[in-house]
Each structure stands twice: as structure tokens, then as C-alpha cells.
């Protein structure tokens, strides 16, 4: 092949490659990632976590199920004890409406051998709506001092321990074991808060917990003995809780 032909062929090939490259689609830019959802504060998630117990209370009352309503409302009372500090600090009026008004009336009505579910239902529905107002109030407000999260966390864990002695008094050993088991399972979440304040209290509580666990093992536990142990552990636990609550109150006032 002549040199001129080779040159012409090379030119044509180069032109074709350049043309093809120009026509190739551009590489797509990576799709933008959706912004991550903001994590809700412990205060908000904790208060929301109690709401389903009220929903179940209303549902049971609508069915005329007094026993189911009582079980659901007892669960609400236990959950509420953990997070009520948030509501009380933010709004005394909201706290009074939920606890001293609706909760008191509903709890009293459910104590009856045959609760009047139709009579209790309107209060339960209004209470649920009021609770939703409390959630909105908390979601839209500025965070409280961080120590209040420690207070609430301690109270949430303690709620299980508070259920043990009433269950023992009622002769419901299975419930006592279950509640203490729940306390024992969540103890790891807050033990550092106890130990930080008092190593002696920490050791005493852990020692007491071992004794309670052993005391609940027999088929027929010594109720008086276990009750005394639970009371002793609760007293030491409450002393640390009171320290942190006082610090939270002082910090919030600054």
C-alpha cells in the first residue's frame, strides 16, 4: 500500500474514533443521597413509647373488656412513672390534667370488680388526646438540661422494680419474677450513673439484686423476706435518683 493511502486511512480511522467518542453518552453523576433523618431526643422517644398503653386501654374499653383495660392502664402507670418528670417540669397544668385528673379517675374506676367501661371510655379518649398534646409540646420545645435524661432513664428502669412488691402482695409470683427480670435486664443501661455517684450504693444495690433473684427462685418464695430486700434496694436506688434530680433542677434554673 502506498504511503499516501496509509496516511489517508490513518486520518479516516482517527476521525471515526473521535466522532464516536463525541457521540458517547456522558457518565451519569452519582445520585444525591437523601438527607439522614434527625434522631429524636431521648425525651421525645421515651414519652412516645408510653402512648401505645393508652391506645390499648381505649381499645379494651371500647370492647367492654374491663380486665384488658386494667392491664393496659397498669402498664401505662408504670411507663408514665418513668417519663412524668419531663411533663411535670415543662407544664404543671399538663401534668395535673394527665395524672391528677384523668389518670386518677380511670384508675379508680378500673379497681371495681366489674368496671363500668362505657363510663370510663370518654375519659380515656380525652386522656389520649391530652397525651398527644403533651407529645407535641415536648417535640416543639427546646431540650431540657441533659441531666433530666439521666433522671428519666433511672426512673424508666426503676419502674420495673416498683412492680415487684405489689405483685408479691397480690400473690402473683410470676408477675414479680417477670418485673424483677425486666429490671435486672435493664440495670446495665444505668448502673454507671449509680456507680458514678456512689460506689457503696452501687455495690449494695448489686448485692441486693443477687439476693432478690435467689429469693424469687423457689416455687413458693418467702414473700416477706423478698419484699424487704426489694424495699432496701429501692431505697438505695431512690437516694441516688434524688441526687441527680436535684442537680438537674439546679442546672435548669441557671
Amino acid at each position: 500500500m502506498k504511503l499516501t493511502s496509509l496516511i489517508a486511512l490513518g486520518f479516516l480511522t482517527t476521525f471515526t474514533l473521535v466522532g464516536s467518542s463525541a457521540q458517547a453518552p456522558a457518565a451519569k453523576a452519582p445520585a444525591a443521597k437523601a438527607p439522614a433523618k434527625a434522631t429524636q431526643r431521648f425525651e421525645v422517644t421515651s414519652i412516645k413509647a408510653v402512648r401505645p398503653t393508652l391506645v390499648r386501654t381505649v381499645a379494651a374499653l371500647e370492647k367492654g373488656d374491663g380486665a384488658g383495660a386494667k392491664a393496659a392502664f397498669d402498664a401505662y402507670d408504670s411507663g408514665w412513672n418513668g417519663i412524668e418528670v419531663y411533663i411535670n417540669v415543662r407544664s404543671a397544668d399538663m401534668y395535673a390534667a394527665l395524672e391528677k385528673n384523668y389518670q386518677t379517675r380511670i384508675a379508680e374506676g378500673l379497681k371495681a370488680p366489674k368496671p363500668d367501661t362505657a363510663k370510663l371510655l370518654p375519659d380515656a379518649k380525652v386522656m389520649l388526646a391530652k397525651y398527644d398534646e403533651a407529645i407535641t409540646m415536648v417535640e416543639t420545645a427546646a431540650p431540657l438540661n441533659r441531666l433530666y435524661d439521666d433522671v428519666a432513664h433511672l426512673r424508666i428502669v426503676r419502674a420495673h422494680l416498683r412492680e415487684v412488691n405489689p405483685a408479691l402482695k397480690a400473690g402473683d409470683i410470676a408477675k414479680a419474677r417477670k418485673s424483677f427480670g425486666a429490671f435486672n435486664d435493664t440495670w446495665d443501661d444505668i448502673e454507671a450513673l449509680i456507680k458514678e455517684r456512689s460506689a457503696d450504693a452501687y455495690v449494695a444495690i448489686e448485692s441486693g439484686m443477687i439476693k432478690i433473684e435467689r429469693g424469687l427462685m423457689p416455687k413458693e418464695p418467702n414473700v416477706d423476706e423478698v419484699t424487704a430486700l426489694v424495699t432496701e434496694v429501692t431505697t438505695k436506688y431512690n437516694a441516688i435518683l434524688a441526687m441527680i434530680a436535684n442537680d438537674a433542677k439546679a442546672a435548669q434554673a441557671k
Side-chain angles (χ1 to χ4, degrees):
M1 185 179 288
K2 294 182 179 180
L3 180 60
T4 53
S5 298
L6 287 172
I7 293 172
L9 179 60
F11 179 78
L12 179 62
T13 303
T14 302
F15 179 81
T16 302
L17 289 174
V18 171
S20 298
S21 175
Q23 294 174 12
K28 291 184 179 179
K33 292 183 179 179
K37 291 183 179 179
T39 303
Q40 289 187 321
R41 305 193 309 269
F42 180 74
E43 177 184 9
V44 176
T45 57
S46 299
I47 293 173
K48 284 184 174 181
V50 178
R51 185 182 184 275
T53 59
L54 279 179
V55 174
R56 291 197 296 271
T57 301
V58 170
L61 290 172
E62 287 176 333
K63 296 175 183 177
D65 180 5
K70 186 177 187 309
F73 204 66
D74 283 348
Y76 167 79
D77 178 62
S78 187
W80 167 256
N81 186 264
I83 56 86
E84 64 179 300
V85 60
Y86 287 129
I87 308 300
N88 197 14
V89 170
R90 290 193 179 280
S91 172
D93 290 341
M94 179 69 75
Y95 176 81
L98 286 169
E99 172 150 324
K100 298 179 181 180
N101 186 14
Y102 297 111
Q103 184 174 354
T104 299
R105 289 209 303 268
I106 294 170
E108 191 62 32
L110 289 171
K111 288 180 182 178
K114 290 185 178 181
D116 188 341
T117 55
K119 182 179 179 180
L120 293 171
L121 180 58
D123 270 349
K125 286 184 174 180
V126 175
M127 184 177 182
L128 177 57
K130 198 72 178 174
Y131 196 90
D132 284 339
E133 288 181 30
I135 290 175
T136 300
M137 174 186 73
V138 169
E139 283 184 313
T140 56
L144 295 174
N145 183 278
R146 66 172 185 80
L147 287 173
Y148 276 112
D149 287 342
D150 291 343
V151 173
H153 208 160
L154 285 164
R155 290 177 67 97
I156 289 167
V157 172
R158 185 193 63 174
H160 301 299
L161 185 64
R162 291 177 72 249
E163 298 169 352
V164 178
N165 279 353
L168 290 172
K169 184 178 180 180
D172 192 344
I173 305 302
K175 164 77 171 168
R177 290 187 181 119
K178 181 179 179 181
S179 293
F180 182 72
F183 172 71
N184 199 19
D185 289 344
T186 51
W187 164 253
D188 289 350
D189 297 341
I190 52 83
E191 63 178 322
L193 293 173
I194 303 287
K195 194 173 185 178
E196 182 181 341
R197 295 287 172 150
S198 171
D200 290 341
Y202 169 77
V203 171
I205 291 172
E206 285 228 317
S207 175
M209 289 169 63
I210 293 171
K211 292 176 183 177
I212 294 169
E213 187 173 24
R214 290 173 178 167
L216 287 171
M217 283 180 180
K219 184 177 180 181
E220 295 183 6
N222 185 323
V223 172
D224 291 340
E225 183 179 296
V226 177
T227 298
L229 289 169
V230 172
T231 300
E232 185 178 352
V233 166
T234 303
T235 299
K236 288 181 169 58
Y237 192 102
N238 285 344
I240 303 301
L241 175 57
M243 288 182 193
I244 299 176
N246 286 337
D247 288 350
K249 186 176 181 180
Q252 191 67 25
K254 290 181 180 179

